[in-house]
Amino acid sequence: MAEAGLSEDEAYRRLRKLAMDRGKRLNEIAARGEVKALWIACSNPAQSMPDQALVRAALERCELVVLQEAFGHTATARYADVLLPGATWAEKKGTVTNSERRISRVRAAVAPPGAARDDWRIVVDFARLLESRLRPGTPSLFPYESIESIWNEHRETTRGRDAARARAAQSAGLQLLRHRGAPNPRLPGPARRSGAGAPGHPPGRTAVRHPVRLVPSGPAPAGA
């Protein structure tokens, strides 16, 4: 949160300093009082994150804690100054991207109850309200009116991203090749032949598995 009278350039400089504070977790920075506000969405850090003493100290130190949540009695809700009722996964539609960047379509099963709303609608409404005060009379940077408009922007801004990463990986020698009946020569691991009646594999079908080894960057601990 910007201080009263703080210029836009100074606010950006401070935000950039926080972003570049490598090796420090947000909780550590917030516990020192360098973060004035936290907006938490779809998460319960006061219960689910490690180092609970530090997490709760950070939440207590922040001058403003906004919680966007579907449940009002979570551990984090006790620290919230503002509680925004969000919809649960079964009450909203759109897409979900997992850690593999695999995108899945989500369809709502029931309508959100009461004042609960989709997360994107809450964020867009807040952003537009903030825009009207910080940059009045200018075109909105949040023109979204539907989940389709958000999806279309995501699609355009990520076009070619994964392909570029794949080319970079190949140039580094990390080639992931598919072989039928034989292991990848660059990723050692025996081929596994499925037995009769194995789920998902007809009898005799060969399935290749390539185990991933995690190699420590430093010396191995004693007894490893």
Side-chain angles (χ1 to χ4, degrees):
M1 175 180 294
E3 298 176 7
L6 194 64
S7 69
E8 185 175 342
D9 289 342
E10 178 62 16
Y12 175 78
R13 187 189 69 77
R14 294 190 184 186
L15 287 174
R16 181 173 176 80
K17 179 179 180 298
L18 287 176
M20 298 300 292
D21 196 356
R22 296 181 180 179
K24 300 293 183 181
R25 293 179 298 166
L26 177 60
N27 291 333
E28 297 178 42
I29 301 172
R32 295 200 305 258
E34 296 181 33
V35 175
K36 304 300 182 182
L38 282 175
W39 186 319
I40 304 167
C42 310
S43 183
N44 188 17
Q47 180 173 333
S48 61
M49 292 187 67
D51 199 342
Q52 285 288 287
L54 179 64
V55 170
R56 298 187 182 210
L59 292 172
E60 289 178 348
R61 187 73 183 271
C62 280
E63 297 176 13
L64 175 65
V65 175
V66 179
L67 179 62
Q68 189 169 316
E69 174 63 81
F71 303 96
H73 302 289
T74 65
T76 305
R78 294 197 293 268
Y79 297 89
D81 300 293
V82 180
L83 183 60
L84 301 176
T88 67
W89 65 270
E91 299 165 351
K92 51 192 173 185
K93 58 184 179 179
T95 61
V96 173
T97 305
N98 68 6
S99 57
E100 296 178 323
R101 295 186 181 154
R102 188 185 305 276
I103 299 175
S104 302
R105 176 73 185 275
V106 177
R107 294 177 172 85
V110 294
R117 298 192 299 155
D118 289 354
D119 297 317
W120 73 269
R121 289 190 181 277
I122 295 175
V123 172
V124 167
D125 284 352
F126 174 81
R128 289 177 179 175
L129 180 61
L130 197 61
E131 276 184 324
S132 67
R133 308 188 69 163
L134 297 181
R135 44 196 306 272
T138 58
S140 176
L141 298 175
F142 299 85
Y144 316 109
E145 298 293 345
S146 66
I147 56 173
E148 288 82 7
S149 59
I150 296 175
W151 163 250
N152 287 334
E153 178 172 305
H154 174 71
R155 183 177 62 180
E156 290 302 319
T157 55
T158 58
R159 187 184 297 276
R161 178 194 62 187
D162 293 339
R165 289 179 182 270
R167 288 193 297 270
Q170 287 179 354
S171 66
L174 300 176
Q175 299 180 5
L176 303 180
L177 305 177
R178 288 186 176 181
H179 295 265
R180 179 167 297 186
N184 187 328
R186 292 182 179 269
L187 298 175
R192 177 176 59 87
R193 184 171 297 278
S194 59
H201 297 282
R205 174 76 61 86
T206 299
V208 180
R209 300 181 67 185
H210 303 298
V212 176
R213 297 183 61 197
L214 301 179
V215 181
S217 58

